[in-house]
Amino acid sequence: MRKTVITGLVLLMALLLAACGSTEKSLSEAATENTVITKTQNMNSQEAEQNVMIPKEIEKIPDGYFKGSEQPGTLKDLYYDTYESFSYDKKSEKIKKHAVVYLPYGYNKNQKYDVFYLMHGGWGDETRTLGTPGNPSSFKNVIDHAIAAGEIKPLIIVCPTYNNTNEHGLDSGNFSLAMQLTRNYHNELLNDLIPAVEGTYSTYVASTSAEDLIASRDHRGFGGFSMGSVATWRTFQYGLDYFHYFLPMSCGTTLDDKEIFAAAEGHDPDDYFVFVMTGTNDFAYSYDEARTNLMRTSAYFTDVDEKADGNFAYRVKKGYSHDGTAAMEYTYNGMKAFWSGKSKSQKEQQEVRSVLGKGQSYKAFTADTRIEDVIQDSAFGNFGRLLFPADKGYYSGDTLGKLSLTWYSNINPDRTVEIANYLKERVLSGDTVFYDIYSDEEKAQDPDKKDTGLFFFRGNKGAKTAIVNAGGGFVFVGAMQDSFPHALELSKKGYNAFALIYRPGAQTACEDLARAIAFLHENADELGIDMQDYSLWGGSAGARMAAWLGSYGTESFGEKRYPRPAAVIMQYTGLSEVTGKEPPTFACVGTNDGIASYKTMEDRINRIKANGTDAEIKVFQGLSHGFGLGEGTVAEGWINDAIKFWEKHITE
């Protein structure tokens, strides 16, 4: 890399040198009033450390979740070849099977997704749980809402069936037949279904070889209700090498439990996690109780209620029976536990969280936290001052919840708090979140360069990259409204996003953006990012920077020539010039913007289109300048349209 002061790394080293408690201890101390956090680890995985968030009680699905979502996922039909269940070893009778696949809203082939294989109950089929592409179920709506709310990470869900598709084994009310089919199902699952799914959709597998499927097991789970729970335990017995998470719900029958548990013998206890759920009025309750008690006597299972880093949990819902309500609620809770998204709720942001270092904990920032306390927080070292405008005359309000920025509107206090906590947690977890783009020598020659740098909002390793530039009239940088929120959302979609802090002044700002582009190209491998077909984003003055670099290139602002962006995303700026060299351009603005005329922006987009370049504009009725993500306004969700526009111009 260029010679830099990598503040986050320096801070991490200091924390580690000061540490007096183990990582495991810190994680165990992170148990909160509502949630047990346990660390699970798979030594075969490149991403070995994960958190499982187990609720103390099974939570009810919010009533509104059963209605359609404004961010709906997509159901797909998947057909694949396999063999008749009872003669699978001979492979004498080839059959075609069907599964229903759920892709989350905004699914992107350049993003990697975890996969949950979800089996139906007895006398059902693959369409029972989520429905079909033409007829989705209400539970599909639940998943849509939970992902949109940040309760569950965007992931792929696969609904298969253990049934055969011919006369040799349809589960049409025959319990003993269903038991045989679930016992045999692992052959089809491991050899045919998983390769078909993960060879088609974007997951964490390098290939569909058995070796690579096993290596990616930390990103895969299997669950089911009733007879689907039987299939889950059989998958644990025969497919533990391929799965990390297991969700057996209301398993109302006896199984070869000791034989199943023996499958764990060749694995470290951190290699798997099992979450068992049932209801007190469920006929399966006595079976699940007995099996759970047996698990507690096994050397391979430890209850999280007894030890914070345990590998199984057992929850019982009072009064619940063996029915569809229970099945949906258990599944919802299990998915939240295994693939928890970043909560946006104020309550959860205030919870005590685990940190590395001395084994201590800290209170998260809240809306009542003083801005100056955030700036001075030791986690941020010398770059805390750059979270807010360096010239304090351009913002007001003494707390995060009262932050106001000159020329900006619709600032969301919850988002401000989330960003501050996100960055602090990243630093305390050992990640570098801030990079200098100029060397010490360059900053000594030009002291103004000390107030520059890139905040890194990490997405998936090797994913495409966006550079986001806040506005501020070229006199300050309004990052907390105009670039940090965008970068955080892009990272949640899997993209790597950088928010640039630059020197005031149109020329110096563009020079800093050119340097940032050069820095990221030169250090892409070390940073784990893909700079091919990168995008430039900006609002107000930041939008002009993005447009100018897109049209004139880095070579016009003091750097050597680097590739132009695949797309430029612009918000509320009255730039009128068109050179004919513009990259594909997406723009948005409000009709009540007294600084950037929406008519000027519409005219520019039309002239870009007239030159044969793809361009698009969104005009939002009634909005004023600086609405950022537009949360809670008519513009909310515009960023998803902008991402789709960029994706159209990604070549690979």
Side-chain angles (χ1 to χ4, degrees), residues 50-64:
Q50 304 173 50
N51 283 336
V52 179
M53 308 287 289
I54 304 298
K56 286 293 186 183
E57 296 181 355
I58 298 170
E59 299 173 3
K60 184 180 178 182
I61 298 171
D63 291 339

Side-chain angles (χ1 to χ4, degrees), residues 10-184:
V10 172
L11 177 61
L12 172 62
M13 292 174 65
L15 285 169
L16 291 176
L17 288 171
C20 63
S22 68
T23 302
E24 286 76 14
K25 180 178 180 181
S26 295
L27 288 164
S28 69
E29 291 174 350
T32 67
E33 182 179 354
N34 298 316
T35 310
V36 175
I37 306 175
T38 179
K39 187 183 85 169
T40 60
Q41 188 172 29
N42 169 24
M43 302 307 292
N44 294 326
S45 173
Q46 293 179 347
E47 298 184 11
E49 200 169 293
Q50 304 173 50
N51 283 336
V52 179
M53 308 287 289
I54 304 298
K56 286 293 186 183
E57 296 181 355
I58 298 170
E59 299 173 3
K60 184 180 178 182
I61 298 171
D63 291 339
Y65 279 19
F66 292 98
K67 300 177 182 179
S69 168
E70 294 182 358
Q71 296 184 19
T74 304
L75 296 182
K76 298 284 188 180
D77 291 309
L78 178 76
Y79 295 93
Y80 61 99
D81 292 326
T82 185
Y83 297 92
E84 195 277 327
S85 176
F86 293 99
S87 59
Y88 190 95
D89 291 342
K90 297 180 181 178
K91 293 183 171 54
S92 58
E93 189 170 352
K94 197 171 187 178
I95 58 176
K96 186 172 288 290
K97 294 286 291 286
H98 171 247
V100 176
V101 178
Y102 172 91
L103 302 179
Y105 178 79
Y107 169 81
N108 184 336
K109 65 181 180 179
N110 295 311
Q111 179 176 344
K112 296 178 180 179
Y113 296 88
D114 297 302
V115 191
F116 184 39
Y117 293 80
L118 180 58
M119 184 63 76
H120 60 82
W123 307 288
D125 62 22
E126 67 273 23
T127 68
R128 171 69 64 86
T129 307
L130 295 181
T132 64
N135 186 28
S137 71
S138 61
F139 187 63
K140 187 263 187 187
N141 295 336
V142 171
I143 301 303
D144 289 339
H145 281 289
I147 291 175
E151 295 178 343
I152 300 172
K153 289 169 52 179
L155 80 166
I156 296 171
I157 305 172
V158 182
C159 294
T161 179
Y162 54 75
N163 292 326
N164 282 347
T165 57
N166 60 20
E167 67 275 13
H168 295 294
L170 289 170
D171 170 17
S172 56
N174 187 323
F175 177 80
S176 62
L177 174 58
M179 291 292 287
Q180 289 178 287
L181 290 169
T182 53
R183 180 182 285 276
N184 295 341

Side-chain angles (χ1 to χ4, degrees), residues 462-475:
K464 300 294 182 182
T465 303
I467 306 171
V468 192
N469 309 281
F474 291 121
V475 293

Side-chain angles (χ1 to χ4, degrees), residues 323-342:
D323 56 25
T325 298
M328 289 189 288
E329 204 160 283
Y330 300 161
T331 306
Y332 166 74
N333 278 264
M335 293 178 67
K336 285 178 61 177
F338 296 156
W339 295 288
S340 174
K342 179 174 284 293

Side-chain angles (χ1 to χ4, degrees), residues 607-648:
R607 286 190 288 143
I608 292 173
K609 291 166 68 175
N611 288 334
T613 300
D614 190 18
E616 181 179 339
I617 187 169
K618 300 285 185 182
V619 178
F620 299 111
Q621 192 68 34
L623 282 190
S624 56
H625 194 76
F627 55 79
L629 291 181
E631 293 171 302
T633 75
V634 294
E636 185 165 0
W638 74 264
I639 191 171
N640 296 316
D641 296 326
I643 291 171
K644 290 179 181 177
F645 182 89
W646 174 27
E647 290 171 349
K648 282 197 304 180

Side-chain angles (χ1 to χ4, degrees), residues 178-303:
M179 291 292 287
Q180 289 178 287
L181 290 169
T182 53
R183 180 182 285 276
N184 295 341
Y185 182 68
H186 65 280
N187 293 311
E188 171 189 328
L189 172 67
L190 305 181
N191 298 321
D192 304 319
L193 177 61
I194 297 178
V197 170
E198 303 191 34
T200 301
Y201 300 106
S202 182
T203 70
Y204 283 84
V205 296
S207 76
T208 56
S209 69
E211 181 181 17
D212 284 338
L213 291 174
I214 290 170
S216 61
R217 63 188 293 276
D218 269 352
H219 300 281
R220 194 176 298 116
F222 193 102
F225 182 84
S226 191
M227 192 58 69
S229 186
V230 176
T232 303
W233 280 118
R234 294 302 184 195
T235 302
F236 187 95
Q237 180 178 359
Y238 296 110
L240 185 54
D241 284 344
Y242 291 77
F243 291 87
H244 188 107
Y245 302 106
F246 297 87
L247 186 64
M249 302 170 285
S250 294
C251 184
T253 186
T254 56
L255 296 171
D256 303 323
D257 291 325
K258 292 183 179 180
E259 180 182 338
I260 289 173
F261 298 165
E265 186 174 354
H267 289 263
D268 188 284
D270 286 341
D271 277 358
Y272 49 87
F273 195 95
V274 181
F275 190 6
V276 181
M277 281 180 277
T278 191
T280 56
N281 291 353
D282 194 323
F283 73 84
Y285 174 62
S286 60
Y287 294 96
D288 284 319
E289 278 278 308
R291 185 171 297 106
T292 301
N293 287 333
L294 184 60
M295 292 171 71
R296 293 191 176 107
T297 67
S298 169
Y300 305 109
F301 292 95
T302 304
D303 193 332

